[in-house]
């Protein structure tokens, strides 16, 4: 909750003042995007995809080298894991649709 007083803005949370901002009457509004916005949408998205691929690669290498399974068996396990990664959200959505129809 914000309370505006004479040239200052007070923010309260649970009855406790958490921040006080002095307002400048001559401040101009900036309509451009922040300079670091590309980091949020560009680098973050690429990093998420790369770490996902790296973890799947490590899973395959772990199965082949640590568990001493053949590449065919590790391929079957990897494909099953990847299929479950895509299937379980769909099953959860289906469960919610059926559950909320009642």
């Amino acid at each position: 909750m914000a309370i505006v007083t004479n040239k200052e803005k007070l923010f309260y949370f649970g009855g406790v003042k958490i921040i006080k901002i002095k307002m400048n009457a001559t401040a101009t509004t900036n309509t451009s995007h922040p300079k670091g916005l590309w980091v949020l949408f560009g680098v973050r998205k690429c990093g998420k995809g790369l770490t996902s691929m790296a973890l799947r690669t490590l899973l395959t290498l772990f199965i082949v080298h640590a568990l001493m399974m053949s590449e065919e068996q590790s391929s079957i396990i990897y494909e099953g894991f990847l299929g479950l990664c895509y299937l379980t959200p769909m099953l959860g959505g289906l469960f919610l649709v059926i559950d909320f129809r009642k």
Side-chain angles (χ1 to χ4, degrees):
M1 180 174 144
I3 299 173
V4 178
T5 61
N6 189 11
K7 293 190 178 182
E8 63 183 33
K9 199 173 205 179
L10 304 173
F11 289 92
Y12 288 92
F13 182 75
V16 178
K17 182 174 71 169
I18 55 171
I19 192 167
K20 177 176 157 182
I21 300 174
K22 290 191 177 187
M23 306 297 283
N24 187 357
T26 61
T28 60
T29 58
N30 189 2
T31 58
S32 65
H33 295 294
K35 292 180 181 179
L37 190 64
W38 67 273
V39 174
L40 290 176
F41 294 107
V43 175
R44 184 173 159 247
K45 185 72 173 170
C46 292
K48 184 179 176 184
L50 289 174
T51 55
S52 174
M53 287 183 234
L55 286 174
R56 287 189 262 162
T57 304
L58 288 174
L59 172 67
T60 305
L61 290 173
F62 175 77
I63 292 170
V64 170
H65 295 291
L67 299 179
M68 301 296 179
M69 293 185 175
S70 66
E71 289 185 14
E72 292 81 20
Q73 289 175 330
S74 70
S75 177
I76 292 170
I77 292 172
Y78 170 75
E79 290 168 1
F81 172 75
L82 193 58
L84 285 174
C85 286
Y86 288 106
L87 182 67
T88 52
M90 288 189 277
L91 290 176
L94 182 65
F95 172 73
L96 286 176
V97 167
I98 292 172
D99 191 41
F100 282 120
R101 283 187 183 174
K102 295 179 181 177

